[in-house]
Amino acid sequence: MRQVEASVVSIREVMPGCYQLCVAAPGIADAAHPGQFVMVRCGDKLTLRRPISIHRVTESGEVYLFFTGAGLARESAVSSGRKIVPVSGKGEGTLWLSRRKKGDKLDLLGPLGNGFTVNPNSRNLLLVAGGIGIAPLVILAERAISQGKFVKLLLGARTKEVLYPGGLLPGGVEVELVTEDGQVGRKGMVSEYVFEYVGWADQIYACGPRAMYESIAREMIERNAEKPVQVSLEVRMGCGVGACYGCSIPTKQGVKRVCLDGPVFNLDEVLLEEVRL
Ligand code: FES
């Protein structure tokens, strides 16, 4: 883990309210593992850092971060052209972050967390992204493809307007799109299609909302599928380095800290009903 002052290389809104921020941070890029995150200090007045997923890294030392700009109202607010005003400070940090410009300096701490585990013998990886859950899966797909693995991505979103742009995905990923209204790709929830690929996949990785995890877990049990699913949890964090216990969650193995023991857990290990996601 390092604390670095990184320069903003670029920032762009890739979906309504969702930003891809590229910073020059070679020390973090070299050490980053898929599924890890950084803590970003968002402004001088905000004492706490914000956890942001590492989305991609490049060989030239750039780190791409993916985050949402201002709480859950972002999609409709941005797409309708309204000004975003955070309520009670919620989303204030990431709103500040979304306003950074090329050349600005950012204070980053990372890479943090455990990241995903890929078995050397696995050939077929199934990735399941619900909405902005795509954030940590792009770097995983990129690494896996560079190691000669086959990657299938089930990419879901509420509507086509909030679907992650296919052009930003690494080449070689086989993508299946799912939208709730069926305007693009298959209709319904992305979790409904996971089981079609369970037999094919050597390992499964998911990132998305709680309902998606619950649905996958239910289906795995009902169908007696014994394939492990690694999930990335997004919870509120204080320190990000294991000191404050603010990110503690109950698991079958006792209380664990998402920032230190996670953010990646085996789905069957997490007591989902007791976790605030
Ligand atoms: Fe402080 Fe995890 S955020 S222990």
Side-chain angles (χ1 to χ4, degrees):
M1 175 188 68
R2 297 164 190 219
Q3 182 173 2
V4 302
E5 186 182 65
S7 291
V8 173
V9 176
S10 64
I11 182 165
R12 64 169 166 161
E13 189 177 13
V14 295
M15 291 145 57
C18 297
Y19 297 83
Q20 194 184 65
L21 171 68
C22 176
V23 294
I28 292 179
D30 290 348
H33 184 70
Q36 290 189 298
F37 63 97
V38 292
M39 294 295 282
V40 184
R41 185 183 298 283
C42 296
D44 296 332
K45 292 187 210 142
L46 298 164
T47 51
L48 289 185
R49 294 170 179 270
R50 298 289 180 270
I52 309 279
S53 286
I54 295 176
H55 189 50
R56 282 187 60 212
V57 296
T58 68
E59 286 180 0
S60 53
E62 293 168 337
V63 177
Y64 286 79
L65 306 174
F66 186 87
F67 65 96
T68 53
L72 289 174
R74 59 195 176 270
E75 287 173 10
S76 56
V78 174
S79 58
S80 65
R82 284 186 285 121
K83 188 180 175 193
I84 302 173
V85 180
V87 179
S88 305
K90 196 175 179 199
E92 199 178 334
T94 46
L95 181 60
W96 177 89
L97 199 56
S98 70
R99 291 175 175 162
R100 293 312 91 203
K101 299 275 186 298
K102 184 175 178 182
D104 285 353
K105 301 287 186 223
L106 282 181
D107 179 346
L108 306 183
L109 198 61
L112 299 166
N114 58 356
F116 296 108
T117 304
V118 179
N119 297 334
N121 295 335
S122 295
R123 278 195 61 75
N124 300 334
L125 308 187
L126 176 65
L127 278 50
V128 186
I132 56 173
I134 186 67
L137 296 179
V138 168
I139 179 174
L140 175 62
E142 219 159 40
R143 287 278 170 92
I145 285 168
S146 72
Q147 292 163 1
K149 302 190 187 298
F150 295 105
V151 177
K152 174 98 189 172
L153 170 67
L154 285 174
L155 178 60
R158 200 164 43 77
T159 64
K160 68 175 183 184
E161 285 77 22
V162 288
L163 200 53
Y164 184 80
L168 298 181
L169 290 169
V173 178
E174 194 181 317
V175 188
E176 177 119 25
L177 302 176
V178 182
T179 52
E180 287 182 33
D181 58 8
Q183 261 193 319
V184 172
R186 301 173 83 175
K187 183 174 181 177
M189 311 299 287
V190 73
S191 52
E192 294 171 35
Y193 299 98
V194 171
F195 203 77
E196 287 183 22
Y197 302 99
V198 165
W200 170 85
D202 295 313
Q203 289 188 266
I204 303 172
Y205 305 86
C207 188
R210 169 206 292 271
M212 183 180 108
Y213 294 155
E214 287 174 337
S215 173
I216 294 173
R218 205 165 37 240
E219 183 130 333
M220 288 290 172
I221 291 170
E222 284 171 6
R223 297 190 187 236
N224 253 334
E226 290 186 355
K227 203 143 285 181
V229 181
Q230 293 176 42
V231 296
S232 177
L233 301 186
E234 189 181 327
V235 300
R236 279 188 168 273
M237 287 187 191
C239 66
V241 293
C244 72
Y245 283 77
C247 63
S248 299
I249 59 160
T251 74
K252 288 179 185 166
Q253 285 79 42
V255 171
K256 296 209 171 174
R257 287 163 286 179
V258 172
C259 69
L260 202 64
D261 305 308
V264 177
F265 294 89
N266 285 326
L267 179 56
D268 61 3
E269 170 191 0
V270 180
L271 300 173
L272 273 177
E273 62 283 2
E274 296 175 35
V275 178
R276 292 183 62 185
L277 294 178

